[in-house]
């Protein structure tokens, strides 16, 4: 995209009727690929017609340069928002929000350009299907049990318990998001971690990051195992010859938090 005022072949606002036709055409898209094709044809059709051309005049050897054309910023944003909203049905709104910039013309500022009143249409399917593997249900139960254990040991109001609780529930809520489609498969990815595959093809993991038990002496880099023995966290790390004080007790549940990884 560009907002510079170079020698555009066509630089103008769509009429209200042209913009309405463009937005209506996008509602008829049947897939993400079809949506992007429709966007290009609907947007560039009127602009190319201004100099007697059509999209069919362009080929792989004679490509259309989108930067040669410009429409007002507010109309550009309306078209982009409509395309992204349409893609919600297939869980590809995030992808389209990136791809749309590569298929649209340049922009220039024209506050007086006509734009329609915003109309929010909920394109999400009525049902979000969550397929949770049996081993994933065990992970969810284990995570909840671990958080309960942190609360009992360190206190319900402790930073350790609250960090684990809020991070886990934040990631659980993410599983219900329909941003990547309405069919989500959840499987085990470790004793306290999950692997998630969405309808759009996007995959991510909800990973538990357990805190390393280390010696609290500042000059000592020792990692303390569950049996109380010390080991270096990396080759060459300094371990002092002293009675190590672990950062959390040997018999305590492991502090930690969950995070999103794509």
């Amino acid at each position: 995209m560009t907002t510079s005022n170079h020698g555009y072949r066509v630089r103008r606002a769509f009429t209200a009727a042209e913009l309405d036709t463009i937005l209506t055409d996008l509602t008829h898209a049947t897939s993400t690929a079809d949506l992007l094709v429709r966007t290009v044809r609907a947007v560039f059709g009127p602009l190319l017609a201004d100099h007697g051309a059509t999209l069919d005049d362009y080929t792989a050897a004679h490509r259309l340069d989108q930067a040669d054309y410009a429409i007002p910023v507010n109309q550009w944003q309306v078209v982009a928002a409509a395309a992204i909203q349409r893609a919600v049905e297939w869980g590809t709104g995030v992808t389209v929000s990136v791809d749309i910039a590569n298929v649209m013309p340049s922009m220039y500022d024209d506050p007086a350009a006509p734009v329609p009143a915003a109309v929010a249409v909920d394109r999400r399917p009525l049902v979000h299907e969550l397929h949770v593997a049996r081993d994933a249900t065990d992970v969810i139960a284990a995570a909840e049990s671990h958080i309960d254990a942190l609360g009992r040991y360190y206190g319900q109001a402790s930073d350790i318990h609250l960090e684990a609780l809020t991070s886990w529930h934040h990631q659980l809520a993410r599983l219900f998001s329909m941003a990547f489609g309405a069919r989500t498969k959840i499987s085990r990815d470790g004793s306290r971690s999950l692997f998630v595959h969405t309808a759009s093809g996007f995959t991510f993991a909800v990973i538990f990051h357990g805190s390393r038990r280390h010696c609290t002496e500042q000059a000592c880099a020792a990692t303390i195992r569950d049996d109380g023995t010390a080991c270096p966290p990396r080759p060459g790390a300094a371990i002092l010859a002293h009675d190590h004080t672990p950062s959390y007790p040997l018999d305590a549940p492991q502090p930690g938090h969950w995070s999103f990884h794509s």
Side-chain angles (χ1 to χ4, degrees), residues 190-201:
S191 60
R192 296 175 190 147
S193 301
L194 298 169
F195 181 78
V196 184
H197 181 80
T198 66
S200 68

Side-chain angles (χ1 to χ4, degrees), residues 230-254:
C231 65
R234 58 190 179 280
I239 297 181
L240 302 183
H242 71 126
D243 291 332
H244 300 287
T245 302
S247 54
Y248 62 91
L250 301 181
D251 60 348
Q254 184 183 30

Side-chain angles (χ1 to χ4, degrees), residues 56-77:
D56 294 334
D57 297 327
Y58 295 89
T59 64
H62 176 51
R63 293 182 178 276
L64 172 70
D65 186 352
Q66 291 100 318
D68 284 343
Y69 302 83
I71 62 175
V73 173
N74 53 357
Q75 292 189 340
W76 196 104
Q77 292 172 335

Side-chain angles (χ1 to χ4, degrees), residues 124-132 140 144 168-186 194 196 198 204 206:
R124 297 174 301 168
L126 294 177
V127 176
H128 185 183
E129 299 177 8
L130 289 175
H131 299 265
V132 186
I140 294 171
E144 291 288 344
W168 170 244
H169 286 173
H170 176 73
Q171 298 305 328
L172 276 186
R174 189 189 295 272
L175 302 181
F176 290 87
S177 168
M178 299 176 77
F180 299 106
R183 293 187 307 279
T184 303
K185 296 181 179 180
I186 306 168
L194 298 169
V196 184
T198 66
F204 65 91
V206 174

Side-chain angles (χ1 to χ4, degrees), residues 120 147 150 194 224 233 241:
I147 292 170
L150 292 173
L194 298 169
I224 312 300

Side-chain angles (χ1 to χ4, degrees), residues 153-154 213 224-229 246-253:
Y153 192 95
Y154 298 101
R213 186 190 290 109
I224 312 300
R225 300 189 181 96
D226 290 342
D227 62 4
T229 58
S247 54
Y248 62 91
L250 301 181
D251 60 348

Side-chain angles (χ1 to χ4, degrees), residues 82-93:
I84 294 168
Q85 185 183 76
R86 181 67 189 91
V88 167
E89 178 179 346
W90 312 299
T92 55

